[in-house]
Amino acid sequence: MLQAVDVGELALSSYVGAAPDDLLDRLRAAAEPLRGLRVLHLNATSYGGGVSELLRSVVPLLNALGLQAEWRIITGDPAFFTVTKAMHNALQGAARELTEAERALYLATVERNARDLVDGYDVVVVHDPQPAPIPRFRPDLRTRWVWRCHIDTSNPGPAVWQFLRPYLEGYDAAVFTMAGFVPAGFPVPRVSVIPPAIDPLSPKNIELPDRLARQVLNWIGVRLDLPLAAQVSRFDPWKDPLGVIAAYRMARTEIPGLQLVLAGSMALDDPEAWEVYREIEAAARSDPLIHVFTNLTGVGNIEVNAIQRLADVVVQKSIREGFGLVVSEALWKETPVVAGRTGGIPLQMEDGIGGYLVDGIEACANAMVRLLRDPAEAKAMAARGRERVRARFLIPRLVLDELALMGAVVSPPG
Ligand code: UDP
């Protein structure tokens, strides 16, 4: 059996006040005919990155609504995750091909995991490329297969896409964050567009009293008497942490004493992170105002919550981005954001609502300075951003959309 991930319990009533009432009513109604539906969410890691963040809330919420949801992960050795990260990069447009040996390792690992999948689910939702070929190896299972793609596959590298494409043919449905991400010639009959969302009740997003947030930041060594910019992201070249440092250095010439926090989690399925971490360390080592944190040094959900809450500006200078949950996380805390105009980020904010969208290092620095110089205006923008998140990007909306899709795939055609 594949390894299960433990999740907590959630009650729908806890969202009253945070999420719009009519949304919760619609969610309850949509779940009613699906009570008892057995759903498996399958991905590659239980921590680090947006997918695990989502599943930690989606799975308990499905259970709270009367479905029987589970979350399981596939396993693989470091070489497998090196191949899947290369695939991830190629699917986002990087020039990378896979060797014969890499393809063989990938397929053998997925096949081994596929054999460990037991029968008994009405719907299996497979997340991202890592486990994607699973249906190919289990045609015997009487389930509906949904592929949930979280990355920007609008322009996939042709070699890797040609390789992966046939393995997607067995799916009944697929979900993308944006319509523009669906690659040309996509072979799945039903395609839904569902953007992700954040959970206002998770430890990362829950209300933190100011005093506690300040105590947490002080504890990890961030100065409370100086202004603060922060980027919270996996250490991944697409998130451009070195570009953030460059923009920060420009901004600091205008805002003396400005600090920068770079917080990055080391996801199990992201072997590239250590390389990027070393580059960041080298760029930041001699600078006492740059703080580099990871989950391995004790910066977890509460610390990220405090960082996003107390930062004067949150930066998300992505070059490619599936969605970028961190943008909604910051806006929910009424912190203004400067973010790359890419992928799912413009869904969440626009210029003047939540902060500024930027296309390069200099624009990023200028936007940071603008927000830091005018805190009242920045606050007003962030408040508008929070309202947008409340209306569109809270987890009950995501689950409502997913239920609609599941209802469609399990109901007999006609
Ligand atoms: N995250 C975290 N600690 C870190 C860095 C990131 O908890 O040091 C979380 C972050 O708060 C967000 C998720 O990891 O919830 C990243 O999701 P996002 O969609 O922004 O990017 P992805 O990693 O999926 O590309």
Side-chain angles (χ1 to χ4, degrees), residues 47-54 88 92 128 150-151 196 198 204-205 231-236 239 262-267 270 293-295 299-301 304-305 307-308 316 318 320-327 329 333 348:
Y47 66 89
V51 179
S52 49
E53 190 73 22
L54 288 169
H88 169 109
Q92 292 213 121
D128 278 343
H150 293 272
I151 57 180
I198 62 160
K204 180 165 296 161
N205 296 318
Q231 175 160 303
V232 175
S233 271
R234 281 182 303 104
F235 290 138
D236 178 325
K239 315 278 185 185
L262 288 170
S265 50
M266 300 304 198
D270 187 0
F293 299 123
T294 76
N295 53 324
V299 171
N301 288 328
V304 167
N305 189 336
I307 290 166
Q308 290 172 330
Q316 188 54 41
S318 303
R320 284 270 203 300
E321 188 60 78
F323 183 69
L325 286 172
V326 282
V327 170
E329 288 168 1
K333 300 173 182 92
Q348 301 174 70

Side-chain angles (χ1 to χ4, degrees), residues 175-319:
V175 181
F176 290 84
T177 295
M178 298 177 76
F181 288 177
V182 184
F186 190 66
V188 178
R190 180 187 291 277
V191 174
S192 294
V193 174
I194 305 179
I198 62 160
D199 187 349
L201 304 183
S202 73
K204 180 165 296 161
N205 296 318
I206 203 155
E207 210 53 53
L208 270 193
D210 196 55
R211 213 173 125 249
L212 179 58
R214 292 172 67 82
Q215 221 172 330
V216 168
L217 269 205
N218 173 56
W219 186 255
I220 60 176
V222 177
R223 286 184 52 178
L224 300 173
D225 57 335
L226 294 175
L228 176 64
Q231 175 160 303
V232 175
S233 271
R234 281 182 303 104
F235 290 138
D236 178 325
W238 299 113
K239 315 278 185 185
D240 197 18
L242 298 178
V244 176
I245 293 176
Y248 156 77
R249 289 211 158 113
M250 288 171 84
R252 198 166 82 183
T253 62
E254 307 279 328
I255 312 283
L258 181 62
Q259 301 174 94
L260 175 67
V261 160
L262 288 170
S265 50
M266 300 304 198
L268 185 71
D269 61 344
D270 187 0
E272 218 177 3
W274 283 108
E275 232 170 88
V276 177
Y277 176 76
R278 278 187 283 275
E279 286 172 10
I280 295 170
E281 266 286 301
R285 192 171 301 138
S286 58
D287 195 333
L289 291 180
I290 302 183
H291 311 281
V292 183
F293 299 123
T294 76
N295 53 324
L296 302 178
T297 52
V299 171
N301 288 328
I302 298 292
E303 287 78 8
V304 167
N305 189 336
I307 290 166
Q308 290 172 330
R309 211 166 273 286
L310 293 186
D312 299 286
V313 56
V314 157
V315 180
Q316 188 54 41
K317 211 201 138 310
S318 303
I319 294 165

